[in-house]
Coordinates of all heavy atoms in Angstrom, one line a residue:
T1486 N -19.5 7.7 -8.2 CA -19.7 6.5 -9.1 C -20.3 7.0 -10.4 O -19.8 6.6 -11.4 CB -20.5 5.4 -8.4 OG1 -19.8 5.0 -7.2 CG2 -20.7 4.2 -9.3
D1500 N -18.5 1.6 -19.3 CA -18.8 2.0 -17.9 C -19.1 0.8 -17.0 O -19.7 0.9 -15.9 CB -19.8 3.0 -17.7 CG -21.2 2.6 -18.3 OD1 -21.3 1.4 -18.7 OD2 -22.1 3.4 -18.3
R1517 N 11.7 3.4 -8.2 CA 12.2 2.0 -8.2 C 13.7 2.0 -7.8 O 14.2 1.0 -7.3 CB 12.1 1.4 -9.5 CG 10.6 1.1 -9.9 CD 10.5 0.7 -11.3 NE 10.7 1.9 -12.2 CZ 10.4 2.0 -13.5 NH1 10.0 0.9 -14.1 NH2 10.6 3.1 -14.1
E1533 N -9.5 -4.4 -9.0 CA -8.7 -5.7 -8.8 C -7.9 -6.0 -10.0 O -6.8 -6.6 -9.9 CB -9.7 -6.8 -8.5 CG -10.4 -6.7 -7.2 CD -11.4 -7.8 -7.0 OE1 -11.6 -8.7 -7.9 OE2 -12.1 -7.8 -6.0
L1541 N -4.9 15.8 -13.9 CA -5.6 17.0 -14.1 C -4.6 18.2 -14.3 O -3.7 18.4 -13.5 CB -6.4 17.3 -12.9 CG -7.3 16.2 -12.3 CD1 -7.9 16.6 -11.0 CD2 -8.3 15.8 -13.3
R1545 N -0.7 25.4 -18.6 CA 0.1 24.9 -19.7 C 1.5 24.6 -19.2 O 2.1 23.6 -19.6 CB 0.1 25.9 -20.8 CG 0.9 25.4 -22.0 CD 0.9 26.4 -23.2 NE -0.3 26.5 -23.8 CZ -0.7 25.8 -24.8 NH1 0.0 24.8 -25.2 NH2 -1.9 26.0 -25.4
H1548 N 2.8 21.0 -17.8 CA 2.9 19.8 -18.6 C 4.4 19.4 -18.7 O 5.2 20.2 -19.2 CB 2.3 20.0 -20.0 CG 0.9 20.4 -19.9 ND1 -0.1 19.4 -20.0 CD2 0.2 21.6 -19.8 CE1 -1.3 20.0 -20.0 NE2 -1.1 21.3 -19.8
L1553 N 3.7 11.5 -18.2 CA 2.7 10.4 -18.4 C 3.5 9.0 -18.7 O 3.1 8.0 -18.2 CB 1.8 10.7 -19.5 CG 0.9 11.9 -19.2 CD1 0.0 12.3 -20.4 CD2 0.1 11.8 -17.9
P1554 N 4.5 9.0 -19.5 CA 5.3 7.8 -19.7 C 5.8 7.2 -18.3 O 5.8 6.0 -18.1 CB 6.4 8.1 -20.6 CG 5.9 9.3 -21.4 CD 5.0 10.1 -20.4
D1558 N 5.0 3.6 -16.7 CA 6.1 2.7 -16.3 C 6.0 2.3 -14.8 O 6.1 1.1 -14.5 CB 7.5 3.4 -16.5 CG 7.9 3.4 -17.9 OD1 7.2 2.7 -18.8 OD2 8.8 4.2 -18.2
A1560 N 3.3 2.5 -12.8 CA 2.1 1.7 -12.5 C 2.3 0.3 -13.0 O 1.9 -0.7 -12.3 CB 0.9 2.4 -13.2
H1562 N 5.0 -1.4 -13.1 CA 6.0 -2.0 -12.2 C 5.3 -2.4 -10.8 O 5.4 -3.5 -10.3 CB 7.2 -1.1 -11.9 CG 8.1 -1.5 -10.8 ND1 9.0 -2.5 -11.0 CD2 8.2 -1.2 -9.5 CE1 9.7 -2.8 -9.9 NE2 9.2 -2.0 -9.0
R1567 N -2.1 -6.0 -14.0 CA -3.3 -5.2 -14.2 C -3.2 -4.3 -15.4 O -2.1 -3.9 -15.8 CB -3.5 -4.3 -13.0 CG -3.7 -5.0 -11.7 CD -4.1 -4.1 -10.6 NE -3.8 -4.8 -9.3 CZ -4.3 -4.3 -8.2 NH1 -5.0 -3.2 -8.1 NH2 -4.1 -5.0 -7.0
T1572 N -6.2 8.9 -18.2 CA -7.0 10.0 -18.7 C -6.3 11.3 -18.4 O -6.0 11.5 -17.2 CB -8.5 10.0 -18.2 OG1 -9.1 8.8 -18.5 CG2 -9.3 11.2 -18.7
A1584 N 3.9 6.7 -25.6 CA 4.0 5.3 -26.2 C 3.3 4.4 -25.2 O 3.5 4.5 -24.0 CB 5.4 4.9 -26.4
R1590 N -3.9 2.0 -22.0 CA -4.7 2.8 -22.8 C -4.5 4.3 -22.3 O -4.2 4.5 -21.1 CB -6.2 2.5 -22.7 CG -6.5 1.1 -23.2 CD -8.0 0.8 -23.2 NE -8.5 0.8 -21.8 CZ -9.8 0.6 -21.4 NH1 -10.7 0.4 -22.4 NH2 -10.1 0.6 -20.2
D1598 N -15.0 18.9 -22.2 CA -15.6 17.6 -22.4 C -16.3 17.0 -21.2 O -17.2 16.3 -21.2 CB -14.5 16.6 -22.9 CG -13.9 16.9 -24.2 OD1 -14.5 17.5 -25.1 OD2 -12.7 16.6 -24.3
V1599 N -15.7 17.4 -20.0 CA -16.0 16.8 -18.7 C -17.1 17.5 -18.0 O -17.8 17.0 -17.2 CB -14.8 16.6 -17.9 CG1 -15.1 16.1 -16.5 CG2 -13.8 15.6 -18.6
Y1603 N -19.9 16.4 -14.7 CA -20.2 17.0 -13.4 C -21.6 17.3 -13.2 O -22.2 17.0 -12.1 CB -19.4 18.3 -13.2 CG -17.9 18.1 -12.9 CD1 -16.9 18.2 -13.9 CD2 -17.5 17.7 -11.6 CE1 -15.6 18.0 -13.6 CE2 -16.2 17.5 -11.3 CZ -15.2 17.7 -12.3 OH -13.9 17.5 -12.0
I1610 N -28.2 18.2 -6.9 CA -28.0 18.2 -5.5 C -28.5 19.5 -4.9 O -28.3 20.6 -5.5 CB -26.5 18.1 -5.2 CG1 -25.9 16.8 -5.6 CG2 -26.2 18.3 -3.7 CD1 -26.4 15.6 -4.8
R1616 N -23.8 23.0 -3.9 CA -24.2 23.9 -5.0 C -23.1 25.0 -5.2 O -22.8 25.3 -6.4 CB -25.5 24.6 -4.7 CG -26.7 23.6 -4.6 CD -27.2 22.9 -5.9 NE -26.9 23.6 -7.1 CZ -26.7 23.0 -8.3 NH1 -26.6 21.7 -8.3 NH2 -26.5 23.6 -9.4
R1617 N -22.6 25.6 -4.1 CA -21.6 26.7 -4.3 C -20.3 26.1 -4.9 O -19.7 26.7 -5.8 CB -21.2 27.3 -2.9 CG -22.2 28.3 -2.5 CD -21.7 29.2 -1.3 NE -21.4 28.3 -0.1 CZ -22.2 27.9 0.8 NH1 -23.5 28.1 0.7 NH2 -21.8 27.1 1.8

Side-chain angles (χ1 to χ4, degrees):
T1486 299
D1500 61 3
R1517 295 170 285 192
E1533 290 176 6
L1541 313 172
R1545 182 180 289 274
H1548 298 268
L1553 298 178
D1558 286 345
H1562 173 79
R1567 296 188 198 193
T1572 297
R1590 297 183 295 179
D1598 297 328
V1599 174
Y1603 280 102
I1610 298 287
R1616 297 289 334 145
R1617 279 192 304 278

